[in-house]
Amino acid sequence: TAEGECDLVSVMGDLGLDGMTLQLVDPSRLERHKKYTLISCSGLLTGALTAVNLPDARWRVVSLADGSVKLIFVDGMMIKIR
């Protein structure tokens, strides 16, 4: 939505994302300045969610240390430290 709201999967416990796919219903409605929380997980979050229909290569699905998975627009340099 224009307010940055989206569906949210909330998992109590561990979650493995390998083999899971994100397909947006209407990717043209994404707003670059919004960060969309897609998943919240209270346990261990492993693997990566694959997005299949993002409108621009600068949209990224990122997993964060707090157990959340967000869809963000990266405009500029992104440095990922492990």
Side-chain angles (χ1 to χ4, degrees):
T1 67
E3 295 78 32
E5 296 176 10
C6 63
D7 290 337
L8 172 69
V9 175
S10 182
V11 177
M12 301 298 286
D14 298 340
L15 176 63
L17 297 174
D18 286 333
M20 292 190 182
T21 303
L22 169 67
Q23 183 170 2
L24 301 173
V25 173
D26 190 359
S28 66
R29 295 190 63 193
L30 290 173
E31 295 188 33
R32 292 179 176 187
H33 66 282
K34 301 283 185 186
K35 295 178 182 177
Y36 299 91
T37 302
L38 307 174
I39 298 173
S40 69
C41 175
S42 67
L44 181 63
L45 182 64
T46 59
L49 189 62
T50 303
V52 295
N53 66 333
L54 296 177
D56 187 304
R58 292 175 288 179
W59 282 101
R60 302 279 200 282
V61 177
V62 294
S63 299
L64 303 175
D66 66 358
S68 65
V69 176
K70 296 185 183 267
L71 179 62
I72 62 170
F73 187 82
V74 178
D75 194 15
M77 186 182 339
M78 181 175 167
I79 299 174
K80 188 174 187 179
I81 300 173
R82 289 183 172 226

